[in-house]
Amino acid sequence: MLSRRIFTGCAICAAIGLVADDAAAQTPSGIKRTITSRIDGPVPGYETLQVIVDVEPNVVIDWHTHPGTEAGYALEGVSELQVKDRATQMLKPGASWVTAPETPHALKNGAQATKLFVTFTVQKGKPLATPVAAPT
């Protein structure tokens, strides 16, 4: 089975260097990102984005961090979420997760397309996602 490894920023989100303020940035192949809501806050200097993320089969989102909190809910498909210092979590419809700011994590999608609903509460003006080396 072939697997495509890409960095999207996250379960899931955005391309390398995508600044949270830049909604027009392109998303890499294998990922479709639809911003459904974007508001300032909850505190000055932050913004909250709600995003539908469609991940094609067998796509791997490499290790990365966010400059804020990521909270998500699996709508369709099955994937594996790896978070530093945690056991791998299977994301199936109805599963949810929260990743703390600057915490390395990665996602490996299964053989079917996956749809996630993700809320990012991140610092404005910083890249939404930053690639990092796999934890040891």
Side-chain angles (χ1 to χ4, degrees), residues 106-130:
L107 183 94
K108 180 180 178 185
N109 199 24
Q112 297 178 345
T114 292
K115 183 181 294 274
L116 307 169
F117 180 73
V118 184
T119 300
F120 297 98
T121 302
V122 294
Q123 295 177 44
K124 281 184 156 187
K126 289 198 173 186
L128 182 59
T130 302

Side-chain angles (χ1 to χ4, degrees), residues 37-86:
S37 174
R38 173 182 232 134
I39 60 170
D40 286 336
V43 296
Y46 281 77
E47 69 177 338
T48 300
L49 294 90
Q50 293 185 315
V51 182
I52 299 288
V53 178
D54 293 288
V55 184
E56 290 183 6
N58 303 312
V59 168
V60 175
I61 300 170
D62 283 331
W63 290 93
H64 61 281
T65 61
H66 302 287
T69 302
E70 172 192 44
Y73 181 82
L75 298 168
E76 299 173 7
V78 177
S79 56
E80 296 177 9
L81 176 65
Q82 296 176 290
V83 180
K84 181 181 178 182
D85 298 329
R86 285 197 224 162

Side-chain angles (χ1 to χ4, degrees), residues 6-10 13-19 22 25-28 62-64 127-132:
I6 60 175
F7 175 79
T8 63
C10 206
C13 42
I16 296 173
L18 171 63
V19 174
D22 184 3
Q26 290 188 352
T27 303
D62 283 331
W63 290 93
H64 61 281
L128 182 59
T130 302
V132 296

